């Protein structure tokens, strides 16, 4: 199963709006005879790739799958039936499918006389498929807030300069995060201060994410790097913003609330466009707004071994007024990226269903 989870991760960034799934098939003696993963939306599912690799050796064997085999016909056929037709004798899957349109594969397998077990390495498989599972359970995209800061928590120096707080290794790792996301999102402050590009570089075979810029008054110039065509771009503005200087640009207009773009409507609109994972790369104010809205599902912080002593903090305006309201996190990973430390954490009391 751990190998199946590893295989599933190869599909990150290319399967949306479908999940990432991995599958390993062993013969009756326990030898691995087939492996596969869901490589792209609309393509064969993990089980089909693994069954093709296994051929006749799959008969009487066991399939280890990270997600309950699907039970419906969409752009591809039901994987539960494919496993039955291949003569698989036993199926072990990690996570039950929460999607009502595709669930029930386990019951179909059992009805066909196939021994079926669920829950093996479920926590590991959940983490690997967190974006899709969150989107199904909450009806909105999974949001990862990424930030870079010094050891004393500063995201920029007192004069506003921030290039470069972290190392080349950390910056390269951010491109991996972008490649795994459906959309990369920044706010107007970051647009004006940094003129970010937001496209993926240096990741072979990457599918470029949707670049989303929140700009209430559409004040970005037509020369902004985010409009260069290297990746699809969406500008989100208020209803009355003048966008005449942005011909041909995809613009989403939303009604302002207290002068701010409503994040719930934004996430609903992105979900409707097939976005299941968002990488939030905006500054401290935008990050604070997402956190206050309860719309941060994962935090990835790149901490540089440097001190500034003054300058903006990594997070601001999150609506936290006392220690009792602190957002407590569970650290899931802490690794070195060059001289820096990358810490990944999730809210300790994350919501589990819509």
């Amino acid at each position: 199963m751990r190998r199946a989870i590893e295989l599933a991760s190869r599909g990150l960034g290319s399967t949306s709006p479908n999940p990432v799934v991995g599958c390993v098939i062993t013969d009756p003696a326990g030898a691995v005879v087939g492996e596969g993963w869901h490589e792209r939306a609309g393509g064969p599912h993990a089980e089909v790739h693994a069954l093709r690799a296994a051929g006749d050796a799959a008969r009487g064997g066991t399939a280890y799958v990270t997600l309950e085999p699907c039970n419906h016909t969409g752009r591809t056929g039901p994987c539960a039936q494919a496993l039955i037709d291949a003569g698989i004798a036993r199926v072990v899957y990690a996570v039950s499918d929460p999607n009502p349109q595709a669930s029930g594969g386990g019951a179909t397998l059992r009805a066909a006389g196939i021994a079926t077990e669920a829950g093996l390495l479920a926590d590991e498989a959940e983490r690997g498929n967190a974006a899709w599972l969150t989107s199904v359970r909450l009806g909105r995209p999974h949001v990862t807030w990424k930030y870079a800061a010094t050891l004393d928590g500063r995201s920029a120096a007192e004069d506003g300069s921030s290039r470069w707080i972290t190392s080349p290794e950390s910056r390269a790792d951010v491109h991996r995060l972008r490649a795994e996301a459906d959309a990369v999102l920044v706010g107007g402050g970051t647009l004006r201060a940094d003129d970010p590009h937001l496209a993926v570089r240096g990741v072979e075979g990457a599918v470029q994410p949707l670049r989303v810029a929140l700009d209430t008054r559409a004040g970005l110039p037509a020369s902004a790097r985010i409009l260069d065509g290297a990746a699809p771009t969406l500008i989100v503005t208020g209803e009355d913003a003048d966008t005449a200087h942005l011909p041909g640009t995809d613009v989403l207009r939303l009604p302002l609330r207290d002068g701010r773009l409503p994040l719930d409507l934004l996430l609903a609109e992105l979900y409707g466009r097939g976005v299941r994972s968002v990488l939030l790369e905006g500054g401290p104010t935008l990050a604070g707004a997402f956190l206050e809205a309860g719309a941060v599902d994962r935090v990835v912080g790149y901490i540089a071994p440097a001190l500034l002593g003054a300058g903006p903090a990594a997070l601001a305006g999150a609506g936290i007024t006392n220690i009792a309201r602190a957002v407590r996190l569970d650290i899931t990973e802490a690794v070195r990226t060059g001289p820096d430390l990358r810490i990944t954490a999730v809210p300790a009391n994350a919501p589990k269903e819509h």
Side-chain angles (χ1 to χ4, degrees), residues 1-6 22 24 26 62-68 90-96 116-128:
M1 184 62 79
R2 191 159 281 123
R3 172 60 176 167
I5 293 170
E6 178 187 336
V24 173
T26 62
T62 298
Y64 297 88
V65 195
T66 57
L67 184 68
E68 180 182 4
R90 176 172 171 252
V91 174
V92 181
Y93 59 87
V95 179
S96 297
T116 306
E117 303 170 30
L120 180 62
L121 298 184
D123 289 345
E124 288 185 37
E126 284 248 1
R127 286 195 295 271

Side-chain angles (χ1 to χ4, degrees), residues 21-349:
V21 183
C23 178
V24 173
I25 293 176
T26 62
D27 65 14
V32 173
V33 292
E35 296 183 340
W37 68 94
H38 186 35
E39 299 175 9
R40 67 183 187 282
H45 289 186
E47 297 92 325
V48 173
H49 281 299
L51 287 170
R52 288 174 179 172
D56 291 340
R59 189 162 297 278
T62 298
Y64 297 88
V65 195
T66 57
L67 184 68
E68 180 182 4
C70 66
N71 199 42
H72 81 301
T73 300
R75 285 185 283 183
T76 61
C79 290
Q81 190 60 50
L83 292 165
I84 294 168
D85 293 343
I88 288 288
R90 176 172 171 252
V91 174
V92 181
Y93 59 87
V95 179
S96 297
D97 193 332
N99 183 355
Q101 294 180 329
S103 61
T108 296
L109 292 168
R110 287 188 290 273
I114 295 176
T116 306
E117 303 170 30
L120 180 62
L121 298 184
D123 289 345
E124 288 185 37
E126 284 248 1
R127 286 195 295 271
N129 212 11
W132 183 81
L133 289 168
T134 297
S135 70
V136 172
R137 291 167 177 165
L138 302 184
R140 63 158 175 81
H142 177 277
V143 177
T144 294
W145 169 42
K146 182 278 298 180
Y147 73 94
T150 59
L151 197 57
D152 57 342
R154 305 295 177 177
S155 62
E158 191 171 14
D159 66 357
S161 59
S162 61
R163 295 187 178 183
W164 292 102
I165 283 178
T166 54
S167 65
E169 292 89 344
S170 291
R171 299 198 295 274
D173 196 62
V174 170
H175 284 280
R176 174 190 60 83
L177 288 181
R178 289 179 182 175
E180 293 177 356
D182 296 337
V184 180
L185 191 151
V186 297
T190 298
L191 276 178
R192 291 185 289 273
D194 298 338
D195 189 21
H197 190 231
L198 302 183
V200 176
R201 298 188 301 276
V203 180
E204 185 177 354
V207 176
Q208 290 292 348
L210 175 68
R211 300 180 291 187
V212 182
L214 310 190
D215 191 5
T216 305
R217 298 180 300 277
L220 79 166
S223 60
R225 297 172 69 214
I226 200 173
L227 300 175
D228 69 353
T233 300
L234 174 67
I235 306 301
V236 185
T237 72
E239 288 180 312
D240 299 327
D242 182 2
T243 59
H245 63 299
L246 302 174
T249 301
D250 191 3
V251 175
L252 171 63
R253 297 178 182 274
L254 295 176
L256 300 182
R257 293 178 188 160
D258 298 324
R260 301 166 67 181
L261 291 164
L263 299 185
D264 57 338
L265 294 184
L266 168 66
L267 291 174
E269 288 282 352
L270 292 176
Y271 184 89
R273 291 170 176 248
V275 171
R276 298 296 179 262
S277 58
V278 170
L279 180 63
L280 180 61
E281 290 201 41
T285 301
L286 185 63
F290 269 81
L291 194 66
E292 185 175 13
V296 172
D297 303 296
R298 181 176 65 156
V299 179
V300 179
Y302 294 87
I303 311 301
L307 302 172
L308 284 172
L315 180 66
I320 300 169
T321 55
N322 57 63
I323 195 67
R325 299 184 64 184
V327 177
R328 302 292 179 178
L329 306 172
D330 291 329
I331 294 177
T332 59
E333 185 182 51
V335 297
R336 294 286 293 268
T337 53
D340 307 322
L341 181 64
R342 185 188 73 214
I343 297 177
T344 304
V346 297
N349 298 306

